[in-house]
Amino acid sequence: MVFIMMYNPSGYNSVIRVNKAISEKVEDYIKLPDPKTTVVYDNFSLNKYDSVVAGLKGNYEDFYTLTDLDTHESSIISPNEEKIKAFCAYINRLTT
């Protein structure tokens, strides 16, 4: 299972489970020998989440960025439900 942090500009962000088709693609991506490469699928791309660029110092090795190729909107995803929920709560505290 893979989880996505849904951005809500007018309230709290939330974490939901992604659908099975996307989850399977993410799991395949994670298994790549070099998951730092961007991989493009039908209507989205995946790449490693760059926590350094985001100004973070923690361990975010199991975070990835999913970008919708139609809207160019990006979301943070992770197979680690507990960690992404904690991250989401942290972002909510900073932004609300």
Side-chain angles (χ1 to χ4, degrees):
M1 271 187 280
V2 177
F3 301 87
I4 187 168
M5 188 172 89
M6 300 300 294
Y7 174 67
N8 181 356
S10 61
Y12 288 105
N13 300 321
S14 60
V15 173
I16 62 169
R17 187 181 324 173
V18 299
N19 70 43
K20 185 177 179 180
I22 293 175
S23 186
E24 289 172 352
K25 300 270 192 223
V26 172
E27 290 167 1
D28 289 344
Y29 174 80
I30 292 169
K31 294 175 188 173
L32 291 174
D34 184 14
K36 294 178 184 171
T37 307
T38 299
V39 175
V40 177
Y41 295 98
D42 296 332
N43 59 345
F44 67 93
S45 67
L46 294 171
N47 61 309
K48 285 288 285 178
Y49 175 66
D50 193 339
S51 58
V52 174
V53 169
L56 302 172
K57 296 181 181 180
N59 178 355
Y60 296 93
E61 291 181 9
D62 54 355
F63 279 35
Y64 304 89
T65 304
L66 182 144
T67 303
D68 182 312
L69 298 177
D70 296 327
T71 64
H72 302 288
E73 292 182 10
S74 295
S75 299
I76 298 170
I77 60 174
S78 177
N80 188 332
E81 181 181 16
E82 183 178 321
K83 191 171 180 179
I84 197 167
K85 282 183 175 180
F87 179 77
C88 182
Y90 171 72
I91 298 299
N92 284 336
R93 284 192 302 278
L94 290 178
T95 59
T96 57

mmCIF file of all heavy atoms in Angstrom, residues 18 27 48 56 74:
data_model
loop_
_atom_site.group_PDB
_atom_site.id
_atom_site.type_symbol
_atom_site.label_atom_id
_atom_site.label_comp_id
_atom_site.label_asym_id
_atom_site.label_seq_id
_atom_site.Cartn_x
_atom_site.Cartn_y
_atom_site.Cartn_z
ATOM 1 N N VAL A 18 -3.557 5.560 -1.947
ATOM 2 C CA VAL A 18 -3.717 5.719 -3.398
ATOM 3 C C VAL A 18 -4.365 4.468 -3.967
ATOM 4 O O VAL A 18 -4.347 3.402 -3.343
ATOM 5 C CB VAL A 18 -2.384 6.009 -4.119
ATOM 6 C CG1 VAL A 18 -1.759 7.285 -3.617
ATOM 7 C CG2 VAL A 18 -1.423 4.857 -4.007
ATOM 8 N N GLU A 27 5.306 0.803 -6.108
ATOM 9 C CA GLU A 27 6.066 -0.325 -5.567
ATOM 10 C C GLU A 27 7.091 -0.831 -6.576
ATOM 11 O O GLU A 27 8.218 -1.170 -6.208
ATOM 12 C CB GLU A 27 5.108 -1.425 -5.119
ATOM 13 C CG GLU A 27 4.322 -1.013 -3.883
ATOM 14 C CD GLU A 27 3.147 -1.920 -3.568
ATOM 15 O OE1 GLU A 27 2.915 -2.904 -4.294
ATOM 16 O OE2 GLU A 27 2.439 -1.607 -2.589
ATOM 17 N N LYS A 48 12.209 10.472 -6.564
ATOM 18 C CA LYS A 48 12.507 10.570 -5.132
ATOM 19 C C LYS A 48 12.140 11.962 -4.636
ATOM 20 O O LYS A 48 12.323 12.952 -5.330
ATOM 21 C CB LYS A 48 13.994 10.335 -4.865
ATOM 22 C CG LYS A 48 14.443 8.906 -4.974
ATOM 23 C CD LYS A 48 13.960 8.039 -3.851
ATOM 24 C CE LYS A 48 14.714 8.290 -2.561
ATOM 25 N NZ LYS A 48 14.223 7.499 -1.461
ATOM 26 N N LEU A 56 14.593 20.152 4.666
ATOM 27 C CA LEU A 56 14.406 19.196 5.759
ATOM 28 C C LEU A 56 15.697 18.433 6.039
ATOM 29 O O LEU A 56 16.486 18.184 5.134
ATOM 30 C CB LEU A 56 13.288 18.224 5.399
ATOM 31 C CG LEU A 56 11.945 18.874 5.096
ATOM 32 C CD1 LEU A 56 10.973 17.847 4.556
ATOM 33 C CD2 LEU A 56 11.385 19.546 6.337
ATOM 34 N N SER A 74 2.164 18.340 -7.954
ATOM 35 C CA SER A 74 2.940 17.283 -7.318
ATOM 36 C C SER A 74 2.411 17.000 -5.928
ATOM 37 O O SER A 74 1.935 17.902 -5.240
ATOM 38 C CB SER A 74 4.416 17.690 -7.222
ATOM 39 O OG SER A 74 4.968 17.802 -8.497
#
